[in-house]
Amino acid sequence: GHIKSGECALVMRGHRDAVHAVDVTRDGTAVFSGGEDSIIRKWDADNGAELLMMEGHESWVMCLSISLDGKTVCSGSGDETVRLWDASTGESSRVMSGHSGCVNGVALNTNASLVYSGSYDNYIREWDAMSGVCLRTL
């Protein structure tokens, strides 16, 4: 296989600028990417076809994370926001604001009820995914 040979198995083309973040669903069927064009793209992991574009960030997408069940995408951006997206429709379901710097790290807990974000503002924030409320700053 490609892993042993080190060969490139697939190239996904569509971003108009540098790509900063990539994640794959746990079942391996979809790949999500984001970057300097401010768009998150969903790709078919088997053939590389672009399936969906998620638009809403006003600056670079710096990071993203997919929930374990593959239903939710979490992203952080240079626009200082964290967003949750429906992975099947591409709709933004929640925007969380509170950082005063670029968000360059995001993570979801195991059931996607909590979101963690790290920023250039030197803080980690814990968010309630349903309400979008910041529960605490670490």
Side-chain angles (χ1 to χ4, degrees):
H2 297 286
I3 293 174
K4 287 184 179 178
S5 71
E7 293 176 28
C8 179
L10 192 61
V11 176
M12 299 169 188
R13 290 187 174 91
H15 283 285
R16 297 186 310 265
D17 215 328
V19 176
H20 288 284
V22 178
D23 201 359
V24 63
T25 55
R26 188 177 178 122
D27 65 7
T29 60
V31 175
F32 292 82
S33 60
E36 293 185 16
D37 59 6
S38 305
I39 298 170
I40 297 168
R41 295 173 192 270
K42 179 181 181 181
W43 311 88
D44 183 299
D46 290 327
N47 61 25
E50 184 177 309
L51 303 174
L52 204 55
M53 288 188 351
M54 302 175 185
E55 299 182 78
H57 278 299
E58 296 174 14
S59 184
W60 299 357
V61 176
M62 297 299 294
C63 52
L64 55 86
S65 181
I66 304 167
S67 62
L68 291 179
D69 64 10
K71 295 179 180 178
T72 304
V73 177
C74 180
S75 60
S77 171
D79 65 11
E80 302 179 356
T81 67
V82 176
R83 283 183 181 256
L84 294 178
W85 309 82
D86 182 306
S88 60
T89 66
E91 294 298 313
S92 178
S93 59
R94 178 85 52 235
V95 180
M96 291 164 273
S97 301
H99 281 293
S100 60
C102 176
V103 178
N104 59 342
V106 291
L108 294 159
N109 69 338
T110 55
N111 67 0
S113 63
L114 296 174
V115 176
Y116 296 88
S117 59
S119 168
Y120 284 136
D121 65 10
N122 302 331
Y123 293 108
I124 298 167
R125 294 184 183 271
E126 179 185 73
W127 309 87
D128 178 278
M130 287 298 292
S131 69
V133 171
C134 181
L135 301 175
R136 60 185 173 153
T137 302
L138 308 171

